Amino acid sequence: MNTSAGLTKAQLKDKVRAIVLLQGNDFIKELLRQHSIKIGVSKKDFAENIAEAIDSETLTQAMIDNWLYEIEGWGNQHVYLFKAPAIQTDGVSALLAAGGYARLVGAAQTYDFPDALELSNILHDAQGLSLVWHLGKEGWDRAKFKDFQQSEGLELYRFEAYRRRRDRSVVRFDWRFADPHCAILVHRNKEIDHTEALNVVWDVLKTLAIIGAPCGRFSLTEAVKSASKAKGTKSTRLETDGGFVDLVSTMEGGGIDQVEAVRHARHAMNDEEFARAQGIFSLGEAENLAQPMSVQVYGSEGRIRLWAQCKRDDVHAVIAYLMKHNSKADANA
């Protein structure tokens, strides 16, 4: 249940320490810079400056909510692409109202750490639909610098310290109505079983009558084949029943297009002889990303692995890049 609407300043500061500081330093600095708040150089500085800004109301819950929507649960994740639901999009509002989840539509950002995947927010407008689940995780890291010894009578005791670590993961269903595909995004977390996470998403969508059955996978095999002939391809594997061919660049700053013999081999291959493909690509400014990113694509699974935290627009740009190459392959077929 979302319990984060209308937090007091004290509550918000406590939540900020638990959640905001889990984010990358660059994103925290951006939040502070955006609202003309003193930045600092360490996580401790960030926490103190954010707390002061909350007290002075320079930084509000709504500002932090909007920032988290853009940066939490985007990147450092697996993105699965599926064919878009077949329903009429102008009927989604009525389905949400009738499905028992109306309270979550446009709800405030949650700051909870639920023990199991919990649907926490639904965003819906004329452009698309996004459902967000959160999952908390707690662990303990050894903190030797906090160890101490203590004598009691004739006995000496040694106390070993552990620091609590709290993380939270995001699973998201994201459908932009203009696209022929939708996506399920699973945050990188070894404790999340992807099959179970996908089933959680499908079950809610079926309850809402947005789908009658899980949507079909959207193959990216042709996108990998096409993109692997472009710049920035670090490696590609073309597979057929009984074997595969690996093409790899070991250059630190270059792809297989810069290794003449490998480039010639790639262009000489008959792609139609290979039923499956996967690859690793270095994408950046040329693909409209705000930052360089390594992207791993498993074509037949319709799965994209993003190896860096990023923003919503970067995820959409990666998907658009691959869909563009899918279209090129279709055009050349």
Side-chain angles (χ1 to χ4, degrees), residues 23 67-79 109 132-134 168-174 184-188 306 308-312 315:
Q23 309 305 321
W67 174 73
L68 280 174
Y69 283 131
E70 291 298 322
I71 61 94
E72 186 184 46
W74 299 102
N76 272 340
Q77 64 193 173
H78 300 262
V79 181
Q109 173 70 250
V132 180
W133 288 257
H134 282 90
R168 71 175 193 164
S169 298
V170 174
V171 170
R172 187 190 312 271
F173 171 79
D174 191 60
I184 296 179
L185 294 71
V186 182
H187 204 180
R188 181 177 56 84
L306 305 179
Q309 185 180 4
C310 59
K311 287 188 172 184
R312 178 196 310 262
V315 175

Side-chain angles (χ1 to χ4, degrees), residues 16-17 19-35 37-40 42-47 49-50 59 67-68 71 309 311:
V16 163
R17 283 192 293 271
I19 294 175
V20 174
L21 297 183
L22 294 174
Q23 309 305 321
N25 285 359
D26 288 343
F27 296 108
I28 299 172
K29 290 178 181 178
E30 181 179 326
L31 170 68
L32 298 174
R33 190 178 296 114
Q34 181 181 355
H35 299 289
I37 298 168
K38 182 172 62 176
I39 296 176
S42 67
K43 292 276 192 182
K44 181 175 181 293
D45 294 337
F46 301 156
N49 295 336
I50 288 173
L59 190 63
W67 174 73
L68 280 174
I71 61 94
Q309 185 180 4
K311 287 188 172 184

Side-chain angles (χ1 to χ4, degrees), residues 79 99 103 121 143 172 180 211 248 285 321:
V79 181
R103 62 185 175 79
N121 191 274
R172 187 190 312 271
I211 60 171
V248 181
E285 185 176 352
Y321 171 78

Side-chain angles (χ1 to χ4, degrees), residues 272-290:
E272 294 183 2
E273 294 181 336
F274 298 91
R276 299 172 299 280
Q278 55 182 286
I280 299 176
F281 307 91
S282 295
L283 306 182
E285 185 176 352
E287 293 77 31
N288 298 316
L289 271 66

Side-chain angles (χ1 to χ4, degrees), residues 296-332:
Q296 190 166 3
V297 184
Y298 302 84
S300 59
E301 298 180 37
R303 177 163 64 99
I304 308 165
R305 175 69 168 89
L306 305 179
W307 287 90
Q309 185 180 4
C310 59
K311 287 188 172 184
R312 178 196 310 262
D313 287 348
D314 286 335
V315 175
H316 289 156
V318 170
I319 294 174
Y321 171 78
L322 293 170
M323 296 307 296
K324 178 186 71 175
H325 277 284
N326 246 8
S327 298
K328 284 184 177 179
D330 292 341
N332 294 329

